[in-house]
């Protein structure tokens, strides 16, 4: 489906977006692992979190919706059923990586599969360290999905320093570690999102500029109730929409303010954005609050290497904010963008070239500048939800608007994106 977006005037109103995708995955996984009933409020309604839940239903977990809450009856420690069918992670890297760690500790064989995009994404980053723990796998020659996880005699705890800044790798190892008496330690040189350790209350230390995070059986989750704060990565599209529009003010309710995710707010504020944070609260150790966003004049800044893991999912929309608001954008040190739902560097470069802008591609980033030459652009989503939504926002500031191909991929993180845009633009 190709979706058209027209030029907009101002945006005004208020949104209470569904739960953060990363926190939702973890709330589901921990609830399924715990013994007994857990309730999750404001769960993400995207396909990715549905994929996690579907995998666990294949392992014997039952769940039902009661009004707006998902009620999960968790299986408890190693009580899962051996799956009859493959576990389908769909488009979700988080499902695939986190479940690989969890499945490594189970006494049965299981096979993880995924869609075309996920089947090309690297699994070596979890296969390698989990193999050091004694996990057994059969994968494709490129170490991608489908991936069969064999039962292993006994896992051993390891201390592992991650060569890539990845919360998915960290969480995968910590999840495997939850099944062992002795501590598993993951070391990260660059801080990545910390939902796993925060929500499980794991021990961590900071030494010589690195973070050491520990998990063991004593941290195995128990049943509890969760409130999932709204997704800051989904909110980012509406923050940028409001900042770029004239005479606009939008309130975004109970947005996740976890400090490992708020880089997008810091970067935008440094660029001159008027974003006010009020009503701070906490649930399941996760901070959230309301954002009041107002039209702003943006100016150019340099994005530092250290903040990249914190803003990794927001780079597409940050680039759109800069291209429209300032007329140029540059990012380096972001080669991880090449192994997301699409190769996001190529995807962004492709779409900015469609506008006739001057674009340079680097192995770890790109730069874009110049004035729009094409007044009737048709952008390619590359079946990547964040590329689709970034160019939807950008299109709303072009003279004749713009079109985005294969727009239905937004269902991965935010199926209601179009309705939400409409509610602010009417
Ligand atoms: C996620 C971690 C990030 C992020 C992804 C969700 C998570 O990936 O891009 O959308 O929930 O742990 P990496 O940890 O691989 O960078």
């Amino acid at each position: 489906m190709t979706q058209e977006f027209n030029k907009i005037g101002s945006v005004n109103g208020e949104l209470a977006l569904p739960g953060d995708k990363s926190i939702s995955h973890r709330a589901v996984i921990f609830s399924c692992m715990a013994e007994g009933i857990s309730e999750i409020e404001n769960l993400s309604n995207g396909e990715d979190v549905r994929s996690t839940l579907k995998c666990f239903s294949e392992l014997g977990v039952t769940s039902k919706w009661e009004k707006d809450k998902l009620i999960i009856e968790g299986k408890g420690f190693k009580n899962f059923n051996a799956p009859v069918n493959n576990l389908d992670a769909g488009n979700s890297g988080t499902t695939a990586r986190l479940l690989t760690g969890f499945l490594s500790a189970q006494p049965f064989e299981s096979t993880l599969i995924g869609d075309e995009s996920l089947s090309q994404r690297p699994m070596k980053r979890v296969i390698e360290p989990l193999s050091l723990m004694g996990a057994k796998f059969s994968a494709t020659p490129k170490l991608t999905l489908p991936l069969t996880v064999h039962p292993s005699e006994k896992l051993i705890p390891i201390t592992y320093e991650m060569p890539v800044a990845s919360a998915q790798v960290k969480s995968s190892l910590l999840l495997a570690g939850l099944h062992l008496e002795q501590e598993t330690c993951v070391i990260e040189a660059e801080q990545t999102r910390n939902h796993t350790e925060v929500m499980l209350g794991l021990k961590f230390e900071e030494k010589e500029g690195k973070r050491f995070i520990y998990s063991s059986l004593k941290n195995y989750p128990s049943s509890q109730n969760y409130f999932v704060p709204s997704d800051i990565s989904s909110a980012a599209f509406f923050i940028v929409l409001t900042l770029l529009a004239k005479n606009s003010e939008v309130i975004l309710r109970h947005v996740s303010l976890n400090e490992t995710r708020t880089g997008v707010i810091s970067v935008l504020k440094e660029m001159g954005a008027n974003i006010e944070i009020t009503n701070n609260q906490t649930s399941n150790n996760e901070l959230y609050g309301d954002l009041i966003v107002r039209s702003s004049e943006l100016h150019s800044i340099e994005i530092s290497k250290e903040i990249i893991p914190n803003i990794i999912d927001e780079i597409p929309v940050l680039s759109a904010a800069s291209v429209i608001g300032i007329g140029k954008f540059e990012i380096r040190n972001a080669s991880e963008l090449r192994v997301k739902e699409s190769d996001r560097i190529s995807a962004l470069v492709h779409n900015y070239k469609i506008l006739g802008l001057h674009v340079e591609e680097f192995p770890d980033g790109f730069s874009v500048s110049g004035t729009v030459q094409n007044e009737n652009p048709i952008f390619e989503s590359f079946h990547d939800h964040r590329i689709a939504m970034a160019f939807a926002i950008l299109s709303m500031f072009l003279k004749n608007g713009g079109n985005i191909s294969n727009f239905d991929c937004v269902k991965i993180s935010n199926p209601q994106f179009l309705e939400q845009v409409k509610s602010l633009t009417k």
Side-chain angles (χ1 to χ4, degrees):
M1 169 196 83
T2 296
Q3 182 66 45
E4 187 182 357
F5 288 88
N6 297 318
K7 185 169 170 52
I8 55 146
S10 59
V11 287
N12 282 288
E14 169 172 337
L15 288 175
L17 297 171
D20 181 73
K21 189 155 77 71
S22 291
I23 300 176
S24 294
H25 279 297
R26 288 155 174 87
V28 167
I29 295 172
F30 302 156
S31 299
C32 292
M33 288 171 72
E35 192 179 334
I37 305 286
S38 296
E39 294 186 2
I40 311 177
E41 200 182 333
N42 205 40
L43 188 72
S44 161
N45 59 354
E47 291 282 319
D48 270 8
V49 172
R50 226 176 276 248
S51 294
T52 293
L53 194 59
K54 251 177 51 199
C55 290
F56 276 100
S57 83
E58 193 56 48
L59 298 168
V61 174
T62 54
S63 62
K64 61 176 183 201
W65 285 94
E66 264 177 24
K67 290 196 190 131
D68 296 347
K69 287 184 188 163
L70 180 69
I71 318 286
I72 294 183
E73 185 165 0
K75 284 296 223 182
F77 188 72
K78 292 198 183 173
N79 262 335
F80 294 90
N81 303 352
V84 176
N85 300 300
N86 291 337
L87 304 176
D88 189 353
N91 189 247
S92 173
T94 307
T95 309
R97 272 68 173 259
L98 269 59
L99 258 62
T100 303
F102 161 81
L103 292 166
S104 296
Q106 304 306 317
F108 47 73
E109 184 171 297
S110 49
T111 298
L112 276 162
I113 58 167
D115 70 4
E116 206 182 314
S117 149
L118 186 58
S119 302
Q120 290 169 36
R121 294 179 65 187
M123 293 297 287
K124 181 172 177 235
R125 51 184 62 197
V126 289
I127 291 177
E128 243 171 36
L130 288 167
S131 301
L132 295 174
M133 293 178 81
K136 303 257 181 315
F137 302 102
S138 318
T140 63
K142 284 186 173 165
L143 299 185
T144 48
L145 298 185
L147 173 68
T148 297
V149 187
H150 302 286
S152 60
E153 294 270 289
K154 193 175 177 321
L155 290 189
I156 46 162
I158 56 166
T159 294
Y160 184 75
E161 178 158 355
M162 292 192 294
V164 281
S166 166
Q168 295 180 350
V169 172
K170 170 174 67 177
S171 303
S172 184
L173 304 183
L174 293 171
L175 280 181
L178 289 174
H179 297 81
L180 308 176
E181 294 277 358
Q182 283 172 304
E183 279 176 337
T184 292
C185 174
V186 181
I187 306 170
E188 56 180 16
E190 291 168 272
Q191 174 148 32
T192 65
R193 63 191 67 191
N194 63 6
H195 305 298
T196 299
E197 52 267 47
V198 161
M199 291 171 74
L200 287 171
L202 302 184
K203 178 175 106 187
F204 77 91
E205 294 167 336
E206 275 180 16
K207 284 187 273 187
E208 293 147 18
K210 293 179 183 171
R211 282 168 39 92
F212 295 65
I213 306 119
Y214 303 87
S215 79
S216 71
L217 193 56
K218 70 173 194 295
N219 308 115
Y220 194 87
S222 3
S223 59
Q224 60 172 296
N225 297 338
Y226 294 91
F227 170 76
V228 183
S230 297
D231 195 319
I232 188 168
S233 302
S234 298
F237 297 104
F238 296 101
I239 296 174
V240 170
L241 179 69
T242 313
L243 294 175
L244 295 178
K246 301 289 174 223
N247 306 316
S248 299
E249 180 178 297
V250 168
I251 302 177
L252 298 162
R253 296 282 178 209
H254 46 66
V255 177
S256 169
L257 293 175
N258 177 307
E259 61 175 11
T260 61
R261 300 287 300 284
T262 47
V264 61
I265 296 179
S266 317
V267 167
L268 286 168
K269 276 189 159 178
E270 207 187 324
M271 287 166 69
N274 183 341
I275 305 171
E276 196 181 316
I277 301 175
T278 63
N279 205 10
N280 281 4
Q281 294 176 70
T282 314
S283 134
N284 315 101
N285 299 332
E286 288 281 353
L287 188 68
Y288 61 95
D290 297 340
L291 304 182
I292 307 169
V293 189
R294 299 184 182 96
S295 315
S296 304
E297 285 295 320
L298 301 181
H299 54 80
S300 182
I301 62 157
E302 206 169 292
I303 297 176
S304 70
K305 184 174 186 279
E306 300 71 51
I307 204 163
I308 300 289
N310 193 312
I311 60 168
I312 194 75
D313 292 342
E314 290 74 60
I315 291 170
V317 74
L318 280 173
S319 73
S322 296
V323 167
I324 296 297
I326 302 161
K328 60 177 180 175
F329 179 74
E330 175 160 354
I331 190 105
R332 303 298 289 258
N333 304 299
S335 54
E336 273 296 297
L337 287 176
R338 293 209 181 269
V339 290
K340 294 295 177 189
E341 286 84 329
S342 69
D343 173 342
R344 287 184 178 157
I345 294 176
S346 309
L348 290 163
V349 162
H350 175 94
N351 283 334
Y352 288 127
K353 280 188 178 161
I354 283 181
L355 280 175
L357 298 173
H358 175 70
V359 190
E360 260 190 277
E361 183 168 356
F362 314 115
D364 63 346
F366 68 97
S367 68
V368 50
S369 59
T371 45
V372 172
Q373 308 290 324
N374 176 4
E375 303 289 2
N376 294 296
I378 303 176
F379 299 112
E380 175 57 58
S381 74
F382 295 90
H383 301 276
D384 180 332
H385 55 135
R386 300 211 195 277
I387 297 294
M389 290 185 277
F391 285 91
I393 299 297
L394 183 140
S395 294
M396 289 184 246
F397 296 95
L398 298 176
K399 197 163 126 205
N400 302 326
N403 287 276
I404 293 112
S405 71
N406 299 307
F407 193 73
D408 45 345
C409 60
V410 299
K411 67 180 186 287
I412 289 299
S413 59
N414 188 4
Q416 263 110 44
F417 178 79
L418 287 177
E419 288 99 297
Q420 291 155 358
V421 169
K422 266 194 203 122
S423 79
L424 299 178
T425 47
K426 55 173 192 246

